[in-house]
Amino acid sequence: MSALDNFFKRFRKKKPPPPPRREPLRLAEQVIQSDEAKDRIVTAVSKHGPGTSLRWDKMLKMINTNEEPTEENYDPLRVEIDREELKLVLRNLYDNKRSIASDGLALAREFIPLMYDKHSVKRALNVSQRERDQRGITNECYAYGEIDHEIFAAMYLRLISVFGEKQNGIFYDLGCGVGTLVYTAAFIGNFERVFGIENISALLERGEKRTARFERFQSSYTEKIRNTIFEWIEDDFMTNGFWADGDFIFLHWTAFTNDQQRTIAKILSSCKEGAYVITFTSPIPGDDFDILVHDTCVTSWGLSDFYFQEKITPAKKRNV
């Protein structure tokens, strides 16, 4: 190097060091403030839907995979959250999903009232009580109650919009009554088969016979809805667990005893990993399910807590 080069080198400006990098986002309250971080989470949930083996581990790995700095972007976003913080973020997204429009919801709003034009909660309650009296059924777990189909639809759409939905799944309403939620699930969900399970035959009959009304309006449905398979089964689901193959299970067990709930929980333990279950009043006992949402909704018996839970363990063998 010449003397002249050395002279100018002394006066040449040095490139300033880049400013310090931002700290990684480790808390839900930090992630919620970042649209980029939330978009990363939404993408991870979409890629690893319910039923994916080790779903939460795979989502976290994707969310926490961070880019290295470059000259163009010396401070790319870094996320380092754990499972509990991820659940808090998803719960926040759920809380802020106040209304969701869908073609299926529009169809349910139009056709469920036509299918059930003569139905009322009082009439169903009388039908249920009459058969219980005739059969000598005194167990209060068979007490009639129902949730409005629009409330269920709003609940379902909010949940799956945040936590994901399995394609071509199986839906069960355990204690389906007159079947309004079974038809609603066919309208709003991505289900290949929908089941109504009920031990009071007079109620089940009222649900099943409306299949003819459902089919009457088929020209207005999408192909997916038209191809949905309906099955109506008179059964005591507490002793027969064939329904454990479900991907989405709806269970109103407010009037069930602790022993009855534990009996059902044993059957639920044989559900596949990633199965969703909604229970009312209390969650599923044991550690096979993770509570993703605890919320309230209006039912025929008043304001009730409900729990949206996901099976986090592999299916267990069950002695039949």
Side-chain angles (χ1 to χ4, degrees), residues 155-293:
M155 175 197 303
Y156 178 87
L157 292 171
R158 284 180 69 195
L159 290 168
I160 62 103
S161 72
V162 173
F163 295 96
E165 179 183 33
K166 184 174 180 180
Q167 302 300 301
N168 301 315
I170 302 173
F171 173 84
Y172 284 95
D173 184 358
L174 303 182
C176 67
V178 297
T180 53
L181 302 193
V182 179
Y183 291 108
T184 304
F187 279 121
I188 65 172
N190 198 322
F191 296 112
E192 183 177 13
R193 297 157 67 198
V194 291
F195 287 78
I197 314 297
E198 175 60 59
N199 196 37
I200 304 299
S201 59
L203 294 175
L204 188 70
E205 179 185 348
R206 280 161 173 74
E208 186 173 9
K209 75 178 184 181
R210 282 177 166 84
T211 303
R213 294 190 182 187
F214 175 84
E215 293 173 347
R216 188 185 307 164
F217 307 113
Q218 282 201 2
S219 61
S220 300
Y221 304 162
T222 63
E223 182 179 2
K224 178 68 178 175
I225 297 173
R226 286 196 299 270
N227 292 336
T228 304
I229 298 171
F230 290 85
E231 297 198 38
W232 305 91
I233 300 174
E234 183 181 346
D235 196 273
D236 179 3
F237 57 82
M238 283 187 288
T239 57
N240 195 349
F242 60 88
W243 46 266
D245 65 339
D247 299 293
F248 199 108
I249 298 170
F250 188 88
L251 173 58
H252 159 216
W253 65 3
T254 299
F256 286 41
T257 66
N258 290 337
D259 286 343
Q260 288 170 331
Q261 291 185 5
R262 282 190 289 268
T263 296
I264 297 174
K266 289 180 181 179
I267 301 176
L268 287 168
S269 71
S270 62
C271 287
K272 65 191 77 172
E273 181 181 358
Y276 289 148
V277 180
I278 290 180
T279 59
F280 280 80
T281 306
S282 59
I284 302 165
D287 55 7
D288 288 309
F289 285 81
D290 206 357
I291 299 173
L292 301 182
V293 170

Side-chain angles (χ1 to χ4, degrees), residues 93-110:
L93 295 176
Y94 165 82
D95 288 339
N96 286 285
K97 292 273 187 181
R98 285 303 169 192
S99 62
I100 298 175
S102 78
D103 293 340
L105 178 58
L107 290 171
R109 284 173 171 166
E110 180 177 359

